[in-house]
Amino acid sequence: MEWMKAIGEAVLYIEENITGNITVDDVAKHVCISPFYFHKGFSMLCGYPLKEYIRNRKLSLAGEELVSSSITVTGLAMKYGYESPDSFTKAFIRFHGISPSAARKRKTMLKTFAPIKLTISLKGGYLMDYKITQKESFTVIAAPKEFSYENAQKEIPLFWQEHYTSGKGKYVCGMFGINIDPDMGNEKFEYLIADVYNPSADIPEGFVTRIIPAFTWAVFPIKGAMPDALQDVNTKIFSEWLPALKEYEFAAGYCVEMYDMPDKYPKGTQDENYYTEIWIPVKKTGK
């Protein structure tokens, strides 16, 4: 299924099931794309993690219903899938900036969050550099941490900061940043700050080794200051490369970011020529 069509069908599915307990897995299954890649693609293309989008739609609709009907706060909490009126009220305050009871009493204006509407943007042809290459399996030594897809975009940069400020950078420099979700069906994944493993060296406490399997990889070269250059290519992969991709499809729940040594560049990772790569495992369509 093409990505833009998949996003459109996902938005429609969410609207039709908004009062249910919708999960990332439910939506991804509906559009026949693995949760691992659908969640990442949705965030890149729409600007919101899928869970945040669903939550915002629920709270927006709950606000409209609160001021236009006599339904109780308890009724709204149950209708939109909250465990209790208290948890609903806390979420309502975070989203609207006012409690449900105060909003109803004051007849105040509440925030709205409309469903995503897809538009077609015609642009000049864009040539995206990438190569398809075979790589044998390799072993890395890494600092591991588990993240939820919902919060990963904010929390992973903090994980890198913590890695270096805690002194762990002397053991693992961070040649790779690796996402691993082998089943491609989880709401969480393992992220590694990693280097190539030297079998003759000891593994410090708190570090692990992981084998990255042999794959056919789509490798995207990136040149520019971090993190903007990397994020820009990541967005283009999902918004431009994938929609045009006919011969290949995603093969597994891995994604590798490879970073060059910062000390090779006058401005380090902020240098306009700083080099990175994104690796995505692919296979021939239909295999």
Side-chain angles (χ1 to χ4, degrees), residues 236-252:
K236 284 186 168 67
I237 288 172
F238 285 91
S239 64
E240 300 180 26
W241 184 73
L242 272 175
L245 192 64
K246 304 298 181 185
E247 189 177 356
Y248 290 94
E249 61 186 355
F250 287 128

